[in-house]
């Protein structure tokens, strides 16, 4: 029996909404520190007091190394890097004992072997839909492409997931799939999550598979 898949809710910025999401006991909570994002937390953001069991993730895009390290030390458990960061950049963060989630935009013919140089420095990969911009598209990529992923680093599935996708995701049955990243498909407005939809998904998803 495989362990329950994990849930990461990303793009949070409103304090009351953050606590509402936290009450559903997701495994990861994501906060976007990228000024061009509609879900940017702002320059004065401070993490609210959340359960230690819920891992806090700062999402960055091509952030200068020293700034990335400073953001991590504002109370985060992971850095999720969502830009064109190199394996060397990941190595430098790893040298600072910073756990990394590295996001990649996936296309129909994506070459997963290009991820090999990242493996030694990255705890988790995140597979999202390829976009001309950085960040989510709200659209799914072809999940059949995941069959071509044979590396050892576990991954989170992202991109266009909605409340009705729990059963399909549970049936993917990939040995390295450890959970999902939920964002725009669960929003009332950018950065404000729909608690009813999240509750529905969580009830259908948080089970052993």
């Amino acid at each position: 029996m495989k362990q329950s898949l994990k849930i990461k809710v990303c793009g949070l910025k409103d304090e009351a909404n953050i606590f509402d999401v936290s009450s559903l006991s997701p495994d990861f909570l994501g906060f976007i520190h990228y000024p061009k994002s509609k879900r940017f937390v702002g320059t004065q953001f401070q993490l609210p007091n959340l359960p230690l069991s819920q891992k806090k993730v700062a999402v960055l895009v091509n952030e200068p190394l020293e700034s990335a390290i400073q953001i991590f030390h504002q109370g985060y458990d992971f850095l999720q890097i969502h830009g064109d960061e190199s394996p060397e950049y990941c190595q430098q963060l790893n040298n600072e004992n910073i756990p990394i989630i590295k996001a990649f935009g996936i296309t129909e013919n994506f070459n997963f072997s290009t991820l090999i140089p990242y493996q030694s420095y990255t705890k988790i990969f995140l597979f999202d839909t390829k976009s001309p911009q950085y960040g989510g598209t709200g659209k799914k990529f072809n999940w059949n492409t995941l069959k071509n992923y044979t590396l050892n680093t576990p991954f989170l599935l992202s991109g266009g997931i909605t409340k009705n996708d729990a059963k399909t995701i549970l049936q993917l049955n990939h040995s390295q799939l450890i959970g999902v990243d939920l964002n725009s498909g669960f929003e009332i407005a950018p950065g404000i999550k729909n608690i009813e939809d999240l509750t529905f998904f969580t009830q259908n998803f948080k089970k052993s598979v």
Side-chain angles (χ1 to χ4, degrees), residues 20-32:
D20 286 343
V21 171
S22 174
S23 71
L24 300 177
S25 300
D27 303 280
F28 300 88
L29 296 165
F31 304 88
I32 297 177

Side-chain angles (χ1 to χ4, degrees), residues 7-79:
I7 292 177
K8 175 176 175 280
V9 182
C10 198
L12 300 163
K13 65 178 185 178
D14 175 82
E15 184 165 305
N17 190 242
I18 290 168
F19 283 117
D20 286 343
V21 171
S22 174
S23 71
L24 300 177
S25 300
D27 303 280
F28 300 88
L29 296 165
F31 304 88
I32 297 177
H33 289 258
Y34 178 52
K36 294 183 180 180
S37 171
K38 291 182 288 186
R39 300 165 186 86
F40 176 47
V41 294
T43 57
Q44 305 302 315
F45 179 75
Q46 291 186 321
L47 275 172
N49 187 18
L50 296 163
L52 292 175
S53 60
Q54 296 172 8
K55 302 302 181 186
K56 294 83 183 170
V57 182
V59 181
L60 311 176
V61 176
N62 299 328
E63 189 74 23
L65 184 70
E66 290 303 318
S67 175
I69 293 169
Q70 289 175 1
I71 291 170
F72 173 77
H73 288 297
Q74 292 172 10
Y76 289 101
D77 301 294
F78 283 84
L79 289 185

Side-chain angles (χ1 to χ4, degrees), residues 61-128:
V61 176
N62 299 328
E63 189 74 23
L65 184 70
E66 290 303 318
S67 175
I69 293 169
Q70 289 175 1
I71 291 170
F72 173 77
H73 288 297
Q74 292 172 10
Y76 289 101
D77 301 294
F78 283 84
L79 289 185
Q80 178 178 315
I81 50 179
H82 223 289
D84 305 312
E85 298 88 0
S86 67
E88 291 74 24
Y89 180 95
C90 296
Q91 182 180 17
Q92 289 176 295
L93 290 177
N94 186 68
N95 290 345
E96 298 288 330
N97 296 314
I98 295 176
I100 301 167
I101 300 171
K102 178 70 180 88
F104 296 94
I106 305 301
T107 59
E108 194 78 29
N109 299 308
F110 187 81
N111 181 4
F112 286 102
S113 68
T114 60
L115 309 190
I116 292 172
Y118 290 90
Q119 285 203 115
S120 298
Y121 316 117
T122 306
K123 294 287 187 186
I124 303 169
F125 290 147
L126 184 146
F127 296 149
D128 200 350

